[in-house]
């Protein structure tokens, strides 16, 4: 089934709800049964039959079916945040005393979970440069149970070779998780290369309108069943039926939104590349990107997120440049309709986000649906201010 057919029709049981084209929001916490035996039988299929909304809700199930099909996995679970999905995936994959190999510079709260929080369960983590498969191989210990990937990462866009990492992991009996938020299921499907669990922050492209925080985890039925019966039901980091409905609405236009963002971004980057005040641009499909070949091999596109270092003499000049951009909002996140910027220098005295590994000249941009010429003109006038 092609992606738009999945998005338009899969998991929609229109005859069940008065042939309504759009599925209703099942705003109910509980579901009832015809008889005690009916209850007893259906309790055996708790991942299929609505019983209690912390487990299964029909609006969420429609979304779940579509997401699993888009990611080419047997099943999926929807969470109240990307971090909730990632934490459930990680905690299902390890036990006290295990060892994890994680890429350098993962998403901030993923780094907190692996680098700080899990030490209280005596879980050890090696953060490695994931660009080279040798680094994975060399980091393996007898108790290594998990490889944690993020390809590309969402600030400087380093990639991992999904096929090579998955092959090594399978040989050694190690589980693999990949955060696929940057590409969305439209531009990359890690399961095709043998990755076990694919996670998303659906707050980004999938929601697509900067109005929902949500997360997704995609895996085989066996893994999803295990996570459902353990982390999902006990931690209870669920999405509300209303927010699931908003994600369904966002999903309808995901392929065209991400394509539009990609096309505008390529034009904007093309202009930026020859600007004298631009020192370095990070974008996986850029001709000068060190892992361009791998990017083209495992990704079908890039979307609207890139970062660049500009030729500024001080943090003050970076701030002037950012403050001068009229068509960008200063905010975290990405994947919506509006252009955004986030300068690294804002993180330097933050307790939770301090990233000394990143240059103070680095600014991350997300290009929304504005016309490319408006964005280029905006960059041009902001460069003239420094
Ligand atoms: C935003 C983000 C997350 C966390 O998702 P939330 O929905 O904010 O909890 C995880 N990974 C990446 C790459 C992200 O950008």
């Amino acid at each position: 089934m092609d992606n738009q057919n999945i998005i338009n029709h899969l998991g929609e049981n229109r005859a069940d709800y008065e042939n309504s084209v759009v599925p209703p929001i099942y705003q109910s916490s509980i579901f009832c049964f015809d008889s005690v035996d009916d209850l007893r039988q259906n309790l055996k299929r708790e991942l299929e039959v609505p019983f209690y909304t912390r487990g299964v809700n029909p609006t969420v199930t429609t979304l779940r079916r579509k997401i699993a099909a888009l990611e080419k996995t047997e099943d999926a679970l929807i969470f109240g945040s990307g971090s909730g999905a990632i934490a459930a995936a990680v905690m299902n994959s390890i036990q006290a005393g295990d060892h994890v190999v994680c890429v350098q510079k993962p998403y901030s709260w993923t780094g907190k979970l692996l680098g700080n929080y899990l030490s209280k369960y005596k879980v050890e983590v090696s953060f490695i440069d994931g660009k080279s498969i040798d680094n994975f191989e060399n980091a393996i210990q007898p108790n290594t149970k998990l490889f944690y990937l993020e390809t590309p990462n969402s600030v400087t866009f380093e990639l991992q070779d999904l096929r090579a990492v998955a092959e090594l992991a399978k040989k050694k009996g190690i589980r693999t998780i990949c955060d696929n938020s940057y590409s969305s299921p439209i531009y990359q499907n890690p399961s095709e290369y043998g990755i076990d669990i694919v996670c998303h922050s659906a707050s980004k492209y999938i929601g697509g309108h900067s109005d929902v925080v949500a997360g997704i985890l995609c895996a085989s039925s066996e893994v999803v069943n295990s996570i459902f019966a353990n982390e999902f039901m006990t931690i209870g980091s669920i999405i509300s039926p209303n927010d699931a409905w908003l994600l369904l609405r966002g999903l309808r236009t995901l392929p065209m939104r991400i394509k539009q963002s990609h096309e505008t971004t390529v034009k904007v980057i093309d202009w930026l590349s020859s600007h004298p005040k631009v020192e370095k641009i990070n974008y996986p499909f850029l001709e000068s990107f060190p892992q361009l070949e791998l990017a083209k091999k495992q990704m079908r596109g890039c979307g609207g997120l890139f970062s660049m270092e500009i030729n500024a003499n001080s943090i003050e000049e970076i701030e002037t440049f950012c403050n001068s951009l009229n068509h960008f909002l200063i905010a975290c996140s990405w994947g919506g309709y509006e252009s955004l910027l986030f300068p690294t220098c804002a993180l330097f005295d933050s307790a939770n986000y301090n990233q000394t590994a990143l240059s103070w000249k680095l600014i991350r941009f997300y290009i929304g649906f504005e016309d490319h010429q408006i964005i280029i003109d905006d960059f041009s006038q902001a460069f003239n201010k420094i």
Side-chain angles (χ1 to χ4, degrees):
M1 208 187 257
D2 70 276
N3 280 349
Q4 200 62 46
N5 206 8
I6 292 169
I7 288 168
N8 291 3
H9 302 299
L10 185 80
E12 316 252 356
N13 306 313
R14 294 186 172 109
D16 292 352
Y17 33 78
E18 310 285 344
N19 292 326
S20 159
V21 168
V22 176
I25 303 169
Y26 282 92
Q27 190 67 42
S28 183
S29 62
I30 52 175
F31 299 83
C32 59
F33 297 87
D34 293 342
S35 65
V36 174
D37 193 51
D38 189 31
L39 167 64
R40 183 183 294 120
Q41 296 311 323
N42 277 308
L43 273 179
K44 294 174 185 159
R45 307 190 300 138
E46 213 188 330
L47 196 43
E48 301 310 314
V49 182
F51 165 67
Y52 186 51
T53 282
R54 176 155 41 79
V56 166
N57 173 283
T59 312
V60 181
T61 298
T62 302
L63 177 62
R64 202 178 116 209
R65 300 260 183 268
K66 290 182 194 294
I67 294 288
L70 290 173
E71 269 300 5
K72 307 184 192 337
T73 56
E74 287 173 352
D75 208 342
L77 290 169
I78 316 292
F79 292 75
S81 72
S83 292
I86 290 165
V90 167
M91 286 155 87
N92 184 264
S93 305
I94 51 168
Q95 304 204 351
D98 282 347
H99 174 250
V100 179
V101 177
C102 178
V103 289
Q104 276 168 352
K105 297 186 283 173
Y107 174 72
S108 51
W109 293 101
T110 303
K112 283 268 188 221
L113 172 73
L114 290 168
N116 300 53
Y117 187 82
L118 287 177
S119 66
K120 78 185 207 179
Y121 301 107
K122 304 275 179 287
V123 173
E124 283 180 23
V125 183
S126 305
F127 291 95
I128 59 145
D129 178 350
K131 294 197 291 295
S132 152
I133 185 70
D134 294 344
N135 294 341
F136 283 93
E137 186 132 33
N138 294 336
I140 294 175
Q141 300 177 8
N143 58 340
T144 304
K145 294 288 157 55
L146 175 64
F147 284 167
Y148 189 91
L149 316 176
E150 212 179 275
T151 182
N153 86 23
S154 60
V155 182
T156 43
F157 316 114
E158 286 89 357
L159 270 61
Q160 300 97 56
D161 186 328
L162 287 168
R163 190 185 302 282
V165 175
E167 266 174 26
L168 172 65
K170 285 208 179 354
K171 216 163 54 189
K172 305 278 183 179
I174 294 168
R175 190 184 269 185
T176 45
I177 300 176
C178 181
D179 183 331
N180 197 30
S181 305
Y182 180 87
S183 304
S184 93
I186 303 303
Y187 281 161
Q188 180 171 271
N189 297 118
S191 70
E192 286 188 316
Y193 302 97
I195 298 298
D196 297 313
I197 305 181
V198 181
C199 290
H200 286 276
S201 168
S203 324
K204 314 292 163 50
Y205 283 121
I206 294 171
H209 296 75
S210 304
D211 52 9
V212 183
V213 172
I216 283 164
L217 171 167
C218 303
S220 66
S221 299
E222 190 188 345
V223 170
V224 165
N225 277 309
S226 167
I227 294 176
F228 178 79
N230 292 285
E231 293 76 20
F232 188 82
M233 288 302 284
T234 56
I235 297 171
S237 158
I238 63 159
I239 190 170
S240 69
N242 192 69
D243 280 353
W245 188 90
L246 282 169
L247 286 191
L248 279 170
R249 184 186 166 111
L251 201 60
R252 309 288 190 195
T253 54
L254 173 62
M256 57 192 289
R257 285 188 288 105
I258 196 166
K259 182 162 168 273
Q260 179 66 45
S261 216
H262 178 109
E263 285 173 8
T264 310
T265 303
V266 168
K267 288 180 189 155
V268 169
I269 287 181
D270 193 42
W271 180 85
L272 286 169
S273 301
S274 58
H275 196 284
K277 286 185 181 151
V278 174
E279 285 185 349
K280 185 180 183 208
I281 300 178
N282 303 306
Y283 189 65
F285 273 25
L286 195 65
E287 288 305 316
S288 62
F289 188 72
Q291 294 177 286
L292 175 69
E293 201 184 321
L294 178 60
K296 293 254 159 133
K297 199 173 90 186
Q298 59 191 27
M299 298 164 68
R300 294 182 287 271
C302 269
L305 199 66
F306 71 98
S307 61
M308 71 176 170
E309 292 179 32
I310 64 169
N311 184 357
N313 295 311
S314 62
I315 288 186
E316 287 70 38
E317 279 196 358
I318 300 279
E319 291 186 27
T320 302
F321 178 71
C322 291
N323 293 339
S324 303
L325 285 163
N326 299 316
H327 291 272
F328 289 80
L329 301 175
I330 302 174
C332 69
S333 195
W334 36 277
Y337 51 90
E338 73 291 19
S339 291
L340 303 171
L341 73 82
F342 198 102
T344 316
C345 64
L347 300 174
F348 286 169
D349 48 12
S350 151
N352 280 327
Y353 299 98
N354 195 353
Q355 274 281 17
T356 44
L358 296 173
S359 163
W360 59 270
K361 292 181 172 186
L362 189 70
I363 310 167
R364 186 178 76 175
F365 295 94
Y366 169 70
I367 305 294
F369 305 148
E370 297 87 351
D371 186 78
H372 70 277
Q373 199 55 50
I374 288 180
I375 298 291
I376 288 171
D377 291 347
D378 201 20
F379 272 124
S380 180
Q381 62 81 23
F383 276 124
N384 288 337
K385 301 269 165 62
I386 59 167

